[in-house]
Amino acid sequence: MNKKYRAMQIVAPGVLEMTKRPIPAPGPDEVLIKIEACGVCGADLRDAERAPQEGQPGRIPGHEIVGFIARKGNRVPDIWQCGQRVGVGRLGGYCQHCKPCRRGLFHLCENQLTPGLSCDGGYAEYVVMRHTALIAIPSALSSVHAAPILCAGTATFNALRNSGARAGDRGAVLGVGGLGHMAVQYARKMGFEVTVIARGSEKERAAFKLGAHHYINTLEENASERLKNDGGVDFIVATAPASETVSALLSALSPQGKTILLGTGQKPLQVSPGMMIGAERTLTGSFVGTPAQTERALQFSHLFQTLPITELLPFERANEALNRLKQGLARYRIVLTMNQDN
Protein backbone atom coordinates (compact mmCIF):
# COMPACT_ATOMS: atom_id res chain seq x y z
CA MET A 1 0.00 0.00 0.00
CA ASN A 2 1.49 3.31 -1.11
CA LYS A 3 -0.96 5.56 0.68
CA LYS A 4 -0.05 7.32 3.90
CA TYR A 5 -2.00 7.77 7.10
CA ARG A 6 -1.95 10.51 9.69
CA ALA A 7 -1.02 9.96 13.31
CA MET A 8 -0.18 11.92 16.45
CA GLN A 9 3.27 10.83 17.63
CA ILE A 10 5.30 11.70 20.73
CA VAL A 11 8.08 14.16 19.83
CA ALA A 12 9.04 15.21 23.37
CA PRO A 13 7.82 14.25 26.86
CA GLY A 14 4.15 15.19 27.00
CA VAL A 15 4.12 16.67 23.48
CA LEU A 16 2.46 15.15 20.41
CA GLU A 17 2.83 16.20 16.80
CA MET A 18 1.01 15.26 13.61
CA THR A 19 2.96 13.01 11.24
CA LYS A 20 2.31 11.01 8.09
CA ARG A 21 3.50 7.44 7.66
CA PRO A 22 3.06 4.76 4.98
CA ILE A 23 0.08 2.52 5.71
CA PRO A 24 1.71 -0.72 6.93
CA ALA A 25 0.90 -4.22 5.72
CA PRO A 26 -0.15 -6.63 8.49
CA GLY A 27 2.00 -9.67 9.25
CA PRO A 28 0.67 -13.23 9.05
CA ASP A 29 -0.90 -13.05 12.54
CA GLU A 30 -1.94 -9.41 12.38
CA VAL A 31 -4.74 -7.20 11.08
CA LEU A 32 -4.71 -3.66 9.79
CA ILE A 33 -7.45 -1.61 11.48
CA LYS A 34 -8.92 1.57 10.04
CA ILE A 35 -9.63 3.48 13.24
CA GLU A 36 -12.94 5.23 13.89
CA ALA A 37 -12.50 6.27 17.54
CA CYS A 38 -9.94 6.05 20.33
CA GLY A 39 -10.53 6.80 23.99
CA VAL A 40 -8.13 8.89 26.07
CA CYS A 41 -7.02 7.17 29.29
CA GLY A 42 -4.96 8.25 32.28
CA ALA A 43 -2.30 5.74 31.26
CA ASP A 44 -1.87 7.74 28.05
CA LEU A 45 -0.49 10.60 30.13
CA ARG A 46 2.28 8.35 31.45
CA ASP A 47 2.94 6.86 28.02
CA ALA A 48 3.22 10.31 26.45
CA GLU A 49 5.87 11.35 28.97
CA ARG A 50 8.34 8.84 27.52
CA ALA A 51 10.84 10.58 25.25
CA PRO A 52 11.33 9.02 21.78
CA GLN A 53 14.36 6.80 21.41
CA GLU A 54 17.13 8.36 19.37
CA GLY A 55 16.82 7.50 15.70
CA GLN A 56 13.36 5.97 16.17
CA PRO A 57 9.99 7.46 15.18
CA GLY A 58 7.95 8.71 18.09
CA ARG A 59 5.49 6.30 19.67
CA ILE A 60 1.80 6.77 18.85
CA PRO A 61 -0.28 6.68 22.09
CA GLY A 62 -3.78 5.30 22.60
CA HIS A 63 -5.25 1.96 23.71
CA GLU A 64 -9.04 2.28 23.58
CA ILE A 65 -9.29 1.63 19.87
CA VAL A 66 -12.38 0.92 17.77
CA GLY A 67 -12.30 0.53 14.01
CA PHE A 68 -12.78 -1.79 11.06
CA ILE A 69 -10.48 -4.53 9.77
CA ALA A 70 -9.02 -3.26 6.50
CA ARG A 71 -6.59 -6.12 5.79
CA LYS A 72 -5.65 -9.36 7.54
CA GLY A 73 -2.70 -11.75 7.55
CA ASN A 74 -2.96 -15.27 6.19
CA ARG A 75 -2.84 -16.88 9.64
CA VAL A 76 -5.63 -14.76 11.14
CA PRO A 77 -8.62 -17.02 12.02
CA ASP A 78 -11.79 -16.74 9.95
CA ILE A 79 -13.75 -15.39 12.91
CA TRP A 80 -12.15 -12.05 11.94
CA GLN A 81 -13.13 -10.70 8.53
CA CYS A 82 -12.32 -7.57 6.57
CA GLY A 83 -14.95 -4.89 7.21
CA GLN A 84 -15.70 -6.24 10.70
CA ARG A 85 -15.78 -3.69 13.54
CA VAL A 86 -13.35 -4.60 16.30
CA GLY A 87 -11.74 -3.11 19.36
CA VAL A 88 -8.32 -3.22 21.01
CA GLY A 89 -7.75 -2.31 24.66
CA ARG A 90 -4.63 -1.93 26.79
CA LEU A 91 -3.54 -5.45 25.86
CA GLY A 92 -2.10 -5.67 22.36
CA GLY A 93 -2.23 -9.42 21.88
CA TYR A 94 -1.10 -12.44 23.89
CA CYS A 95 1.55 -14.87 22.66
CA GLN A 96 -0.40 -18.13 23.27
CA HIS A 97 2.65 -20.10 24.46
CA CYS A 98 3.99 -18.59 27.72
CA LYS A 99 3.08 -20.14 31.08
CA PRO A 100 0.16 -17.77 31.88
CA CYS A 101 -1.25 -18.25 28.37
CA ARG A 102 -1.07 -22.04 28.72
CA ARG A 103 -3.11 -21.64 31.93
CA GLY A 104 -5.70 -19.52 30.13
CA LEU A 105 -4.57 -16.30 31.83
CA PHE A 106 -4.24 -14.46 28.54
CA HIS A 107 -4.45 -11.00 30.12
CA LEU A 108 -1.34 -11.85 32.18
CA CYS A 109 0.71 -13.01 29.16
CA GLU A 110 4.45 -12.51 29.71
CA ASN A 111 4.91 -11.37 26.10
CA GLN A 112 1.88 -9.13 25.82
CA LEU A 113 2.18 -6.03 23.66
CA THR A 114 0.93 -2.72 25.07
CA PRO A 115 -0.54 -0.26 22.56
CA GLY A 116 0.89 3.19 23.04
CA LEU A 117 3.83 1.84 25.04
CA SER A 118 5.55 -1.17 23.45
CA CYS A 119 3.76 -0.80 20.10
CA ASP A 120 1.94 2.01 18.34
CA GLY A 121 -1.58 2.80 19.46
CA GLY A 122 -4.76 4.48 18.34
CA TYR A 123 -4.15 8.22 18.04
CA ALA A 124 -4.03 7.57 14.32
CA GLU A 125 -6.06 6.68 11.26
CA TYR A 126 -4.65 3.14 11.05
CA VAL A 127 -2.94 0.65 13.33
CA VAL A 128 -1.61 -2.91 13.00
CA MET A 129 -2.38 -5.36 15.82
CA ARG A 130 -2.04 -9.06 16.64
CA HIS A 131 -5.30 -10.88 16.06
CA THR A 132 -5.18 -12.16 19.68
CA ALA A 133 -5.86 -8.57 20.82
CA LEU A 134 -9.12 -8.25 18.90
CA ILE A 135 -12.43 -7.70 20.66
CA ALA A 136 -15.79 -8.02 18.91
CA ILE A 137 -17.98 -4.92 19.29
CA PRO A 138 -21.77 -5.37 19.64
CA SER A 139 -23.58 -3.76 16.72
CA ALA A 140 -25.92 -1.90 19.09
CA LEU A 141 -23.04 0.00 20.75
CA SER A 142 -21.62 3.11 19.10
CA SER A 143 -17.86 3.23 18.61
CA VAL A 144 -17.70 6.29 20.88
CA HIS A 145 -19.39 4.42 23.74
CA ALA A 146 -17.49 1.20 23.11
CA ALA A 147 -13.99 2.73 23.17
CA PRO A 148 -13.78 3.62 26.91
CA ILE A 149 -15.32 0.27 27.87
CA LEU A 150 -12.26 -1.45 26.39
CA CYS A 151 -10.18 -0.19 29.33
CA ALA A 152 -12.09 1.71 32.03
CA GLY A 153 -15.18 -0.38 31.51
CA THR A 154 -13.64 -3.83 31.53
CA ALA A 155 -11.34 -2.94 34.46
CA THR A 156 -14.24 -1.94 36.73
CA PHE A 157 -16.61 -4.61 35.40
CA ASN A 158 -14.15 -7.42 36.11
CA ALA A 159 -13.26 -6.00 39.53
CA LEU A 160 -16.91 -6.16 40.56
CA ARG A 161 -17.58 -9.56 38.97
CA ASN A 162 -14.61 -11.01 40.83
CA SER A 163 -15.32 -9.27 44.13
CA GLY A 164 -17.19 -12.25 45.57
CA ALA A 165 -20.14 -9.97 46.42
CA ARG A 166 -23.70 -10.93 45.59
CA ALA A 167 -26.78 -8.89 44.74
CA GLY A 168 -27.96 -7.09 47.85
CA ASP A 169 -24.45 -6.70 49.32
CA ARG A 170 -23.05 -3.30 50.22
CA GLY A 171 -20.09 -1.77 48.44
CA ALA A 172 -18.16 1.47 48.18
CA VAL A 173 -16.54 3.12 45.17
CA LEU A 174 -13.66 5.48 45.89
CA GLY A 175 -13.47 8.20 43.25
CA VAL A 176 -15.88 9.38 40.55
CA GLY A 177 -13.60 9.88 37.57
CA GLY A 178 -13.05 7.96 34.36
CA LEU A 179 -12.97 4.62 36.18
CA GLY A 180 -15.25 5.50 39.07
CA HIS A 181 -18.19 6.72 37.01
CA MET A 182 -18.26 3.31 35.30
CA ALA A 183 -17.83 1.39 38.57
CA VAL A 184 -20.83 3.17 40.13
CA GLN A 185 -23.09 2.30 37.20
CA TYR A 186 -21.99 -1.34 37.05
CA ALA A 187 -22.34 -1.77 40.82
CA ARG A 188 -25.87 -0.37 40.80
CA LYS A 189 -26.97 -2.53 37.84
CA MET A 190 -25.41 -5.64 39.45
CA GLY A 191 -27.69 -5.18 42.44
CA PHE A 192 -25.35 -3.74 45.07
CA GLU A 193 -26.06 -0.98 47.58
CA VAL A 194 -23.54 1.62 46.47
CA THR A 195 -21.75 4.29 48.49
CA VAL A 196 -19.55 6.76 46.63
CA ILE A 197 -16.57 8.31 48.43
CA ALA A 198 -15.01 11.46 46.97
CA ARG A 199 -13.40 14.77 47.90
CA GLY A 200 -15.79 17.71 48.00
CA SER A 201 -19.49 18.13 47.33
CA GLU A 202 -19.30 19.01 43.64
CA LYS A 203 -19.53 15.35 42.56
CA GLU A 204 -22.41 14.41 44.85
CA ARG A 205 -25.19 15.17 42.38
CA ALA A 206 -23.41 13.29 39.59
CA ALA A 207 -22.82 10.29 41.88
CA PHE A 208 -26.53 9.96 42.65
CA LYS A 209 -27.39 10.38 38.98
CA LEU A 210 -25.00 7.56 38.11
CA GLY A 211 -26.76 5.26 40.58
CA ALA A 212 -25.19 5.77 44.01
CA HIS A 213 -27.41 5.25 47.07
CA HIS A 214 -25.12 7.17 49.46
CA TYR A 215 -22.37 9.79 49.15
CA ILE A 216 -19.50 10.57 51.54
CA ASN A 217 -17.60 13.83 51.20
CA THR A 218 -14.16 13.15 52.71
CA LEU A 219 -13.60 16.87 53.29
CA GLU A 220 -16.51 16.94 55.74
CA GLU A 221 -16.56 13.52 57.40
CA ASN A 222 -14.43 10.49 58.17
CA ALA A 223 -15.33 7.99 55.46
CA SER A 224 -14.16 4.94 57.40
CA GLU A 225 -16.15 5.85 60.52
CA ARG A 226 -19.24 6.62 58.44
CA LEU A 227 -19.06 3.25 56.68
CA LYS A 228 -18.57 1.41 59.97
CA ASN A 229 -21.47 3.25 61.58
CA ASP A 230 -23.63 2.23 58.62
CA GLY A 231 -22.71 -1.43 59.12
CA GLY A 232 -19.56 -1.78 57.01
CA VAL A 233 -19.23 -2.76 53.37
CA ASP A 234 -18.62 -6.07 51.65
CA PHE A 235 -16.26 -4.58 49.07
CA ILE A 236 -14.43 -1.39 48.19
CA VAL A 237 -13.40 -0.58 44.62
CA ALA A 238 -10.60 1.98 44.79
CA THR A 239 -10.47 3.79 41.45
CA ALA A 240 -8.54 6.81 42.73
CA PRO A 241 -4.78 6.74 43.49
CA ALA A 242 -5.30 7.80 47.12
CA SER A 243 -3.17 5.46 49.24
CA GLU A 244 -3.85 7.18 52.55
CA THR A 245 -7.61 7.08 52.03
CA VAL A 246 -7.53 3.44 50.94
CA SER A 247 -5.45 2.50 53.99
CA ALA A 248 -7.94 4.18 56.30
CA LEU A 249 -10.91 2.48 54.62
CA LEU A 250 -9.66 -1.08 55.12
CA SER A 251 -11.07 -1.27 58.65
CA ALA A 252 -14.55 -0.49 57.29
CA LEU A 253 -14.67 -3.81 55.45
CA SER A 254 -17.07 -6.39 56.81
CA PRO A 255 -15.61 -9.79 57.78
CA GLN A 256 -14.24 -11.46 54.63
CA GLY A 257 -14.70 -8.19 52.76
CA LYS A 258 -12.44 -7.29 49.86
CA THR A 259 -10.73 -4.10 48.72
CA ILE A 260 -9.88 -4.05 45.01
CA LEU A 261 -7.25 -1.63 43.75
CA LEU A 262 -7.61 -0.10 40.28
CA GLY A 263 -6.04 3.34 40.64
CA THR A 264 -2.24 3.28 40.73
CA GLY A 265 -0.43 5.71 43.01
CA GLN A 266 3.15 6.36 44.09
CA LYS A 267 2.64 6.13 47.86
CA PRO A 268 2.60 2.71 49.58
CA LEU A 269 -0.41 1.51 51.52
CA GLN A 270 -0.31 1.24 55.30
CA VAL A 271 -1.83 -2.11 56.30
CA SER A 272 -2.26 -3.53 59.79
CA PRO A 273 -1.81 -7.33 59.48
CA GLY A 274 -3.92 -8.05 62.56
CA MET A 275 -6.86 -6.05 61.25
CA MET A 276 -6.75 -8.02 57.97
CA ILE A 277 -6.18 -11.42 59.58
CA GLY A 278 -8.73 -11.14 62.37
CA ALA A 279 -11.66 -10.56 59.99
CA GLU A 280 -10.20 -12.46 57.02
CA ARG A 281 -10.25 -9.31 54.92
CA THR A 282 -8.61 -9.23 51.49
CA LEU A 283 -6.62 -6.56 49.65
CA THR A 284 -6.07 -7.26 45.96
CA GLY A 285 -5.46 -5.66 42.60
CA SER A 286 -7.43 -6.11 39.40
CA PHE A 287 -6.18 -5.78 35.84
CA VAL A 288 -8.10 -5.36 32.59
CA GLY A 289 -9.57 -8.59 31.24
CA THR A 290 -9.07 -10.93 28.33
CA PRO A 291 -10.78 -10.16 25.01
CA ALA A 292 -13.58 -12.60 25.93
CA GLN A 293 -14.11 -10.90 29.30
CA THR A 294 -14.13 -7.49 27.64
CA GLU A 295 -16.81 -8.70 25.25
CA ARG A 296 -18.91 -9.58 28.30
CA ALA A 297 -18.44 -6.07 29.66
CA LEU A 298 -19.50 -4.61 26.31
CA GLN A 299 -22.60 -6.81 26.17
CA PHE A 300 -23.54 -5.97 29.77
CA SER A 301 -23.08 -2.27 29.00
CA HIS A 302 -25.45 -2.57 26.07
CA LEU A 303 -28.08 -4.65 27.86
CA PHE A 304 -28.18 -2.48 30.99
CA GLN A 305 -27.17 0.83 29.39
CA THR A 306 -24.13 1.29 31.62
CA LEU A 307 -22.45 3.66 29.20
CA PRO A 308 -19.49 5.98 29.64
CA ILE A 309 -20.15 9.71 29.69
CA THR A 310 -17.99 11.09 26.91
CA GLU A 311 -16.82 14.27 25.27
CA LEU A 312 -15.54 14.17 21.70
CA LEU A 313 -12.51 15.78 20.09
CA PRO A 314 -10.96 15.23 16.65
CA PHE A 315 -7.72 13.29 17.02
CA GLU A 316 -5.79 16.26 15.67
CA ARG A 317 -6.50 17.86 19.07
CA ALA A 318 -4.92 15.03 21.06
CA ASN A 319 -2.61 17.45 22.91
CA GLU A 320 -5.66 19.35 24.14
CA ALA A 321 -7.29 16.09 25.21
CA LEU A 322 -4.25 15.07 27.26
CA ASN A 323 -4.04 18.52 28.86
CA ARG A 324 -7.71 18.41 29.84
CA LEU A 325 -7.18 15.00 31.37
CA LYS A 326 -4.06 16.15 33.22
CA GLN A 327 -5.94 19.11 34.71
CA GLY A 328 -8.83 16.90 35.82
CA LEU A 329 -11.28 18.60 33.45
CA ALA A 330 -12.47 15.50 31.57
CA ARG A 331 -16.10 14.53 32.33
CA TYR A 332 -15.60 11.66 32.24
CA ARG A 333 -13.91 10.08 29.21
CA ILE A 334 -12.56 11.96 26.21
CA VAL A 335 -12.84 10.10 22.90
CA LEU A 336 -10.85 11.08 19.83
CA THR A 337 -12.60 10.63 16.48
CA MET A 338 -11.02 10.08 13.08
CA ASN A 339 -12.81 11.63 10.08
CA GLN A 340 -11.04 9.87 7.25
CA ASP A 341 -11.54 10.53 3.57
CA ASN A 342 -9.36 7.67 2.30
Side-chain angles (χ1 to χ4, degrees):
M1 300 180 73
N2 297 320
K3 292 183 178 180
K4 293 189 175 182
Y5 72 103
R6 297 179 304 152
M8 296 295 290
Q9 67 177 8
I10 303 168
V11 293
V15 180
L16 309 182
E17 184 178 89
M18 181 68 73
T19 186
K20 287 189 176 182
R21 300 183 183 180
I23 296 178
D29 298 299
E30 298 174 331
V31 299
L32 174 68
I33 300 173
K34 185 175 184 179
I35 301 173
E36 188 173 41
C38 183
V40 179
C41 178
D44 295 348
L45 289 173
R46 297 188 294 273
D47 294 347
E49 287 298 326
R50 293 175 176 264
Q53 295 184 5
E54 187 174 352
Q56 298 293 321
R59 181 66 73 209
I60 300 169
H63 61 269
E64 295 178 348
I65 304 165
V66 179
F68 297 87
I69 297 176
R71 294 179 64 184
K72 54 180 281 190
N74 59 15
R75 291 204 298 259
V76 175
D78 288 340
I79 61 169
W80 307 114
Q81 295 294 327
C82 289
Q84 182 177 356
R85 191 168 59 134
V86 295
V88 176
R90 186 59 168 168
L91 307 182
Y94 51 89
C95 71
Q96 307 181 78
H97 58 74
C98 70
K99 190 171 182 179
C101 280
R102 288 174 60 84
R103 295 174 56 196
L105 302 173
F106 301 119
H107 63 305
L108 302 180
C109 170
E110 296 172 348
N111 304 303
Q112 189 92 235
L113 295 174
T114 306
L117 187 61
S118 62
C119 66
D120 284 330
Y123 291 12
E125 293 174 325
Y126 285 89
V127 70
V128 166
M129 285 290 165
R130 290 177 178 173
H131 74 81
T132 52
L134 299 181
I135 297 161
I137 307 294
S139 60
L141 273 184
S142 71
S143 295
V144 168
H145 279 147
I149 297 172
L150 301 177
C151 183
T154 189
T156 52
F157 180 77
N158 284 330
L160 289 163
R161 284 189 78 222
N162 298 324
S163 67
R166 297 183 178 183
D169 285 350
R170 305 183 71 243
V173 176
L174 174 62
V176 195
L179 287 166
H181 94 287
M182 292 301 298
V184 175
Q185 294 182 77
Y186 284 136
R188 174 65 182 245
K189 294 297 176 67
M190 289 180 183
F192 303 131
E193 184 179 344
V194 186
T195 297
V196 167
I197 304 168
R199 287 173 57 86
S201 60
E202 63 274 7
K203 294 183 179 181
E204 182 172 1
R205 183 177 179 183
F208 285 122
K209 190 174 181 179
L210 289 166
H213 297 93
H214 315 284
Y215 184 87
I216 300 176
N217 175 0
T218 58
L219 297 181
E220 294 184 352
E221 57 184 322
N222 184 304
S224 181
E225 292 303 316
R226 163 77 179 275
L227 290 178
K228 284 187 280 190
N229 289 338
D230 290 345
V233 287
D234 299 292
F235 67 85
I236 299 168
V237 176
T239 70
S243 297
E244 291 182 2
T245 303
V246 174
S247 299
L249 288 174
L250 293 176
S251 62
L253 285 172
S254 299
Q256 296 188 331
K258 179 183 290 188
T259 292
I260 307 158
L261 303 178
L262 294 178
T264 57
Q266 299 298 319
K267 295 182 178 180
L269 296 174
Q270 301 295 319
V271 182
S272 170
M275 180 264 296
M276 300 298 289
I277 294 169
E280 294 187 346
R281 298 179 173 109
T282 301
L283 174 64
T284 187
S286 181
F287 198 32
V288 292
T290 65
Q293 291 168 340
T294 302
E295 288 170 2
R296 286 199 175 199
L298 288 163
Q299 186 67 4
F300 186 97
S301 294
H302 159 57
L303 291 174
F304 295 94
Q305 289 299 289
T306 49
L307 303 175
I309 296 172
T310 60
E311 51 182 289
L312 307 185
L313 286 175
F315 90 105
E316 297 91 338
R317 293 167 63 183
N319 280 304
E320 179 183 340
L322 290 177
N323 286 334
R324 283 183 58 77
L325 190 62
K326 191 173 185 178
Q327 296 172 41
L329 299 176
R331 292 291 181 270
Y332 288 92
R333 303 294 289 193
I334 300 174
V335 178
L336 304 178
T337 58
M338 293 68 182
N339 298 311
Q340 305 180 42
D341 297 324
N342 55 318

